[in-house]
Amino acid sequence: MKSYLKNHRYWQKTTQIMKLRDQFAELSDDEIKARTKKLQRQYQQGASLNSLLVQAYALVCVADERVLGLRPFKVQIFGAVAMHYNNVIEMKTGEGKTLTATMVMFLHGLTGPGNFLVTANSYLAKRDATNMGRVYRWLGLTVSYNSEDATDNEQKQEIYQADIVYTDSGTFGFDYLTNNLVSTTEKQFMPPFKFALIDEVDAVLLDLASTPLVISGRPKGQSNYPKLADTFIKTAKEKRDFAYSKDRKKVWFLKTGIKRASEFYGVPNILAQKYADIYRYLYLALKANYVLKRDQDYLVDDGKIVLIDDNNGRKMNGMQLQAGLHQAIEVKEGLEVTPQQQAIATITYQNLFRMFTSLAGMTGTASTDRSELMRIYNLAVVQVPTNKESIREDKPDQIFFTNKAKLLSSLKLVKQNHEKGRPILIETGSLELSNLYSDLLFREHIPHNLLNARSVVQESAMIAVAGQVGMVTVSTSMAGRGTDIVLSDEAKKLGGLLVIGTERMSIKRIDNQLRGRAGRQGQPGTTIFYTSLQDQLVNKFPSSRISKAIRRHEKQSAQQITGHLRYQHLFDNLQKNVAHQNESSRFMTLQYGEIMRLQREAVYHARAQVMEEYQDLDELVITNSEQAIDNFAAEDNLQTATIMDYLLENIDPEFVTQINISHSSSYRQELKKIMLAALDKKKKQFKNQEAWHYYEKLTILKAIDDSWVTQVDTLETLRVETEQKTTGQSNPMYQYQTDALNSFIKMRQDIAQRVMRNVLCSDTDGSSDEGMQIYFA
């Protein structure tokens, strides 16, 4: 009932907008543009966006028609209304999400910088900012496209000063991290986060939720641990040395495996803390060899490992698995091992977009995950009806015992329809299978295009002709999201696009995205899936009953089991199992991310205070220095040499007088007096207060940043170590929380130590302006 009333209110708003649109249509261009300035003044004087919505949307409707020649449909206006009230709208393929977004983005753009339309990739961001940006500029707002090629601060500042920014999710996330690594407020470029509209929201907030954005810095030291671990792991056997979770996404050592590993390395017990690094590399090698699959999770391209997005089959250029897993894959494949980079800053999409004051999204598929979107992001899903009734025919799955029978049967359907000239899109679940299907078509002399991670540069050209008569396109799930296949008039007469899925994907949304390539905007189209009991989805949940059924029937000529009650709902149930596991995994990622978020916000807050502080920072230096001395003096049985070394290395390198070390309280106070004297001596080296203050600021920020870099890397390593100790029954979170808190306490102590040493022992080139060169101790 509540949902009905909410939607009814949105329809009422839609009707009001359409009436006002007709009135505004009588106004001149100048009068329309003047209305924008009026709305901006009203907002600045305290009017809420809710109160301005009807007028703003009506203005955009007129602008869309005058600038783009496109008149928003009633359902598009309804969708835009729903998004303003922090909802995800589900609009079917071809219903015009891009135009719908102009209304809600214009309304929020009235508030000034801080409003973003986030797309799945940079190509879409540039395209939509260029096309839709004409509307915003015509109305008097500023709009920009956040290019990943824009790297310097001046370019970024110009981009983010716009009222509306189009950006892809990855570039935006890395910009957030970079924005919090600069040394002065003048170099920061991001405004406060107000509103984000996420296109293909399920892809970003769900499918990519567990993918961290990481800025890496200096390389870690190399060791022979990865190669030695790989040598042992290649001798390991399932059930003897290791076991899988039901979905075969997690793997762990069994007691026999632990014993054999200990014998291999010649140690009593490899689980002992002193061998933690060795064991970690063993676990990474285990995961690289037995969980991650070539041409499914990654491909080898020009001697390098390139990750593949499991949900859309695209290359993830520039992305690396963290904590040594990427290097473990390189060793597995016999490639040159790249240096493992130390993580400087990291954030997940979950935490990034939960920072916004207001959030909305749009996609063609969201209903299947409505509960998670509400629970994690407080986003409800509103289904928007199509402008024209869908006449697409979704045929029931064709189920077979074996892959061979399935593929050969689907090939018959391809041949039949290709002879008629009907355009066909064939989806495969992996790069390997796409190549195999391409070989089958070549064998049958059927010309076709092959679209997968290796041919992505030709994607636009292939999609442009995919809806023409006689075209056959074989693709991974790349063609399932955001792909607009335009049909020729002749192709429509032949029944429209025929979409053939060669297997059900793990996530039902991906199947629905694929179906959405056909029958767009009321056009004809047909979809059908061919599945077998040997599909990847079935293999995720091994069943002796299914294995026996395959063995019984694999030599029989009649292998189709479509309609068999036992298997009728098999794939739907398996997808539900995967969905449940994925949701649990994302929730676990959120918990890990929350711990990182709390620590990251504390560090970023401390940085911001230092950068914004224009008064004397001496008090902060003294407080940290005294804390560092207290931490040092808390150690037992300190020798005279140790105390003097500490003094010379951290407080005053030129100190020559003996100090009283008869008792900890006495040398503690002595060290503090020496610290205050050293601070006063250092301060006198600067010509004016401004130069001294700038020096303090940079040295303190350096201390915070160096300690935080170590902490980020520590948390990432802790997460991997926690996961490797996890079995299907245990919950690792408590141990991770405890270890993360302890490491955070150590980090704060390390910051205090670094602040004292940086300020008191670093040298400068003697310059008094903000261009001084500091040589850190």
Side-chain angles (χ1 to χ4, degrees):
M1 185 66 179
K2 186 182 294 185
S3 176
Y4 168 78
L5 292 174
K6 179 177 68 176
N7 288 359
H8 181 66
R9 182 178 51 150
Y10 298 161
W11 283 118
Q12 285 182 323
K13 290 276 188 185
T14 301
T15 302
Q16 295 172 17
I17 293 164
M18 294 178 71
K19 288 181 179 178
L20 190 59
R21 174 186 66 182
D22 295 338
Q23 296 177 28
F24 283 173
E26 302 298 323
L27 300 177
S28 68
D29 289 358
D30 289 339
E31 288 173 323
I32 290 290
K33 295 173 185 179
R35 292 268 178 171
T36 298
K37 291 183 172 57
K38 181 180 178 182
L39 290 175
Q40 288 175 314
R41 285 196 300 272
Q42 288 177 309
Y43 174 78
Q44 292 164 0
Q45 292 168 1
S48 68
L49 291 183
N50 290 349
S51 66
L52 303 178
L53 183 146
V54 173
Q55 294 182 66
Y57 279 28
L59 284 177
V60 180
C61 286
V62 174
D64 283 338
E65 191 166 7
R66 293 187 185 182
V67 177
L68 304 175
L70 299 173
R71 182 180 175 88
F73 300 128
K74 183 177 182 180
V75 291
Q76 290 174 309
I77 299 172
F78 168 79
V81 172
M83 282 195 289
H84 169 68
Y85 292 100
N86 302 114
N87 294 302
V88 168
I89 61 167
E90 183 178 87
M91 290 183 74
K92 300 305 178 186
T93 304
E95 291 299 305
K97 293 192 294 290
T98 304
L99 189 66
T100 300
T102 58
M103 290 171 263
V104 65
M105 290 309 303
F106 172 75
L107 175 63
H108 286 270
L110 295 171
T111 68
N115 306 289
F116 305 90
L117 194 148
V118 183
T119 66
N121 57 62
S122 57
Y123 164 75
L124 292 176
K126 183 176 182 179
R127 182 199 71 182
D128 294 347
T130 302
N131 295 338
M132 302 299 116
R134 292 153 54 200
V135 175
Y136 308 125
R137 294 188 185 95
W138 188 84
L139 284 165
L141 298 186
T142 56
V143 61
S144 64
Y145 152 60
N146 187 18
S147 169
E148 55 191 2
D149 297 328
T151 55
D152 64 64
N153 283 61
E154 288 186 8
Q155 289 175 306
K156 290 294 184 183
Q157 286 172 346
E158 184 178 351
I159 289 169
Y160 283 103
Q161 283 172 1
D163 300 319
I164 300 166
V165 177
Y166 278 75
T167 179
D168 67 277
S169 53
T171 303
F172 178 72
F174 284 122
D175 280 353
Y176 167 74
L177 295 175
T178 303
N179 188 65
N180 286 283
L181 293 175
V182 298
S183 58
T184 64
T185 53
E186 291 76 21
K187 293 180 180 178
Q188 290 187 311
F189 48 80
M190 274 194 154
F193 293 169
K194 296 177 182 175
F195 174 72
L197 170 56
I198 306 175
D199 191 14
E200 305 295 358
V201 63
D202 50 333
V204 176
L205 296 188
L206 300 179
D207 298 340
L208 292 176
S210 300
T211 304
L213 296 165
V214 180
I215 292 181
S216 298
R218 56 182 179 268
K220 287 185 172 183
Q222 295 288 83
S223 76
N224 66 341
Y225 285 167
K227 293 182 179 180
L228 199 58
D230 187 77
T231 300
F232 171 75
I233 289 301
K234 282 186 164 59
T235 69
K237 293 182 180 179
E238 185 183 357
K239 295 183 180 178
R240 183 191 71 181
D241 300 311
F242 63 90
Y244 287 105
S245 59
K246 285 185 177 181
D247 62 359
R248 300 181 78 82
K249 283 188 174 182
K250 293 181 180 178
V251 64
W252 54 84
F253 285 104
L254 298 175
K255 288 183 179 179
T256 306
I258 295 297
K259 182 179 179 182
R260 289 187 66 246
S262 299
E263 292 172 352
F264 177 82
Y265 282 93
V267 299
N269 180 10
I270 204 161
L271 292 180
Q273 184 60 40
K274 65 166 74 174
Y275 306 121
D277 278 350
I278 295 175
Y279 181 73
R280 181 165 68 88
Y281 282 103
L282 275 173
Y283 171 75
L284 294 173
L286 182 69
K287 189 170 183 179
N289 278 273
Y290 298 108
V291 175
L292 299 173
K293 308 295 183 185
R294 182 169 176 169
D295 288 342
Q296 181 176 319
D297 300 299
Y298 65 91
L299 55 86
V300 178
D301 191 359
D302 194 24
K304 296 180 180 178
I305 299 297
V306 179
L307 302 181
I308 298 176
D309 191 322
D310 184 48
N311 299 295
N312 59 33
R314 296 179 183 276
K315 289 182 183 180
M316 300 172 71
N317 291 313
M319 297 288 286
Q320 281 199 6
L321 295 168
Q322 295 300 304
L325 186 54
H326 204 87
Q327 286 70 26
I329 300 174
E330 291 172 330
V331 174
K332 166 193 173 183
E333 297 293 346
L335 304 175
E336 181 182 350
V337 180
T338 58
Q340 185 181 340
Q341 301 292 311
Q342 190 172 34
I344 294 177
T346 180
I347 192 171
T348 62
Y349 287 116
Q350 287 173 323
N351 279 311
L352 178 65
F353 289 107
R354 280 156 56 96
M355 296 168 64
F356 276 88
T357 304
S358 183
L359 195 63
M362 51 188 185
T363 182
T365 49
S367 297
T368 54
D369 296 278
R370 61 169 72 242
S371 61
E372 185 176 0
L373 288 168
M374 174 57 75
R375 182 162 66 99
I376 303 299
Y377 304 102
N378 198 32
L379 291 170
V381 175
V382 176
Q383 290 179 295
V384 179
T386 56
N387 186 51
K388 294 181 180 179
E389 185 178 354
S390 174
I391 60 172
R392 186 185 71 213
E393 182 182 9
D394 296 326
K395 292 189 174 182
D397 290 6
Q398 301 297 298
I399 309 174
F400 297 80
F401 281 106
T402 65
N403 275 331
K404 181 179 178 181
K406 170 190 73 174
L407 295 177
L408 291 177
S409 182
S410 68
L411 193 60
K412 291 179 182 178
L413 183 65
V414 173
K415 290 169 65 177
Q416 292 170 3
N417 283 271
H418 179 61
E419 289 172 358
K420 300 174 185 177
R422 187 176 185 184
I424 304 169
L425 173 65
I426 304 163
E427 177 267 351
T428 59
S430 67
L431 185 149
E432 184 180 25
L433 186 54
S434 69
N435 290 328
L436 173 60
Y437 210 99
S438 177
D439 291 341
L440 292 175
L441 292 174
F442 276 127
R443 192 185 71 179
E444 298 296 330
H445 306 290
I446 298 176
H448 60 280
N449 284 325
L450 176 58
L451 178 58
N452 58 33
R454 293 193 183 276
S455 59
V456 66
V457 293
Q458 300 169 301
E459 180 178 4
S460 297
M462 291 183 185
I463 295 301
V465 298
Q468 304 300 304
V469 171
M471 293 305 303
V472 177
T473 306
V474 179
S475 176
T476 57
S477 49
M478 282 176 63
R481 184 185 290 277
T483 305
D484 191 3
I485 297 177
V486 180
L487 296 177
S488 65
D489 292 337
E490 183 107 18
K492 294 175 187 176
K493 296 175 184 177
L494 293 170
L497 185 68
L498 170 62
V499 174
I500 299 175
T502 60
E503 63 183 297
R504 289 281 205 99
M505 300 300 289
S506 297
I507 304 173
K508 191 171 185 177
R509 278 185 290 105
I510 299 178
D511 291 345
N512 292 339
Q513 287 282 353
L514 180 67
R515 292 188 194 276
R517 299 315 100 194
R520 59 187 298 274
Q521 295 184 346
Q523 295 174 355
T526 305
T527 69
I528 185 170
F529 280 84
Y530 283 77
T531 60
S532 87
L533 301 186
Q534 292 180 324
D535 283 355
Q536 291 183 56
L537 180 58
V538 182
N539 291 334
K540 289 178 182 290
F541 303 91
S543 164
S544 58
R545 177 173 61 84
I546 290 177
S547 298
K548 290 177 183 178
I550 294 172
R551 286 196 296 270
R552 281 199 309 269
H553 295 87
E554 61 184 350
K555 294 183 179 180
Q556 298 179 11
S557 57
Q559 291 199 357
Q560 189 168 1
I561 51 176
T562 304
H564 196 298
L565 291 177
R566 175 177 290 182
Y567 303 108
Q568 194 169 10
H569 301 294
L570 171 67
F571 294 92
D572 287 333
N573 291 334
L574 290 175
Q575 285 179 325
K576 289 177 182 177
N577 290 342
V578 172
H580 176 71
Q581 291 177 349
N582 287 348
E583 184 173 352
S584 298
S585 176
R586 286 191 291 264
F587 185 67
M588 183 67 73
T589 299
L590 180 64
Q591 290 181 292
Y592 282 120
E594 278 297 292
I595 295 169
M596 173 68 83
R597 179 187 66 82
L598 292 171
Q599 296 193 15
R600 180 176 54 247
E601 288 184 354
V603 171
Y604 287 178
H605 178 69
R607 289 186 95 261
Q609 283 188 314
V610 173
M611 286 192 296
E612 294 168 3
E613 177 60 64
Y614 289 99
Q615 302 303 315
D616 194 350
L617 286 168
D618 286 2
E619 184 178 346
L620 183 61
V621 173
I622 292 170
T623 301
N624 278 274
S625 299
E626 289 181 341
Q627 181 63 54
I629 292 170
D630 287 339
N631 293 336
F632 169 73
E635 298 181 23
D636 296 328
N637 302 318
L638 290 172
Q639 301 299 313
T640 303
T642 304
I643 297 172
M644 288 303 299
D645 285 346
Y646 180 82
L647 191 161
L648 294 172
E649 290 178 7
N650 298 280
I651 301 176
D652 189 350
E654 299 175 354
F655 190 82
V656 293
T657 310
Q658 289 294 322
I659 64 171
N660 180 8
I661 58 170
S662 59
H663 191 273
S664 64
S665 60
S666 61
Y667 70 71
R668 185 186 310 223
Q669 295 306 316
E670 283 289 320
L671 290 176
K672 290 182 180 179
K673 289 179 182 178
I674 295 169
M675 177 270 295
L676 291 173
L679 182 65
D680 186 58
K681 181 172 66 173
K682 173 65 71 172
K683 194 172 183 179
K684 291 177 180 177
Q685 295 177 8
F686 292 83
K687 297 180 179 179
N688 54 57
Q689 181 67 21
E690 289 74 20
W692 166 245
H693 176 71
Y694 184 70
Y695 170 81
E696 281 185 303
K697 182 181 292 188
L698 291 186
T699 50
I700 293 171
L701 288 176
K702 173 70 172 173
I704 295 173
D705 290 346
D706 285 348
S707 296
W708 177 237
V709 166
T710 302
Q711 176 66 358
V712 168
D713 198 62
T714 299
L715 289 175
E716 183 64 20
T717 302
L718 278 176
R719 184 184 63 79
V720 173
E721 290 178 350
T722 304
E723 288 178 346
Q724 75 191 23
K725 297 173 184 175
T726 305
T727 66
Q729 288 75 39
S730 64
N731 183 350
M733 191 48 62
Y734 175 77
Q735 186 62 47
Y736 179 78
Q737 289 174 334
T738 302
D739 292 343
L741 177 60
N742 290 335
S743 67
F744 185 73
I745 293 171
K746 291 179 181 177
M747 182 200 72
R748 294 186 64 174
Q749 295 173 347
D750 186 57
I751 288 175
Q753 177 68 32
R754 288 175 186 267
V755 166
M756 179 174 70
R757 188 165 187 262
N758 282 359
V759 172
L760 299 181
C761 299
S762 297
D763 293 323
T764 69
D765 60 4
S767 175
S768 61
D769 59 22
E770 293 194 359
M772 73 172 66
Q773 179 69 42
I774 300 176
Y775 305 95
F776 292 99

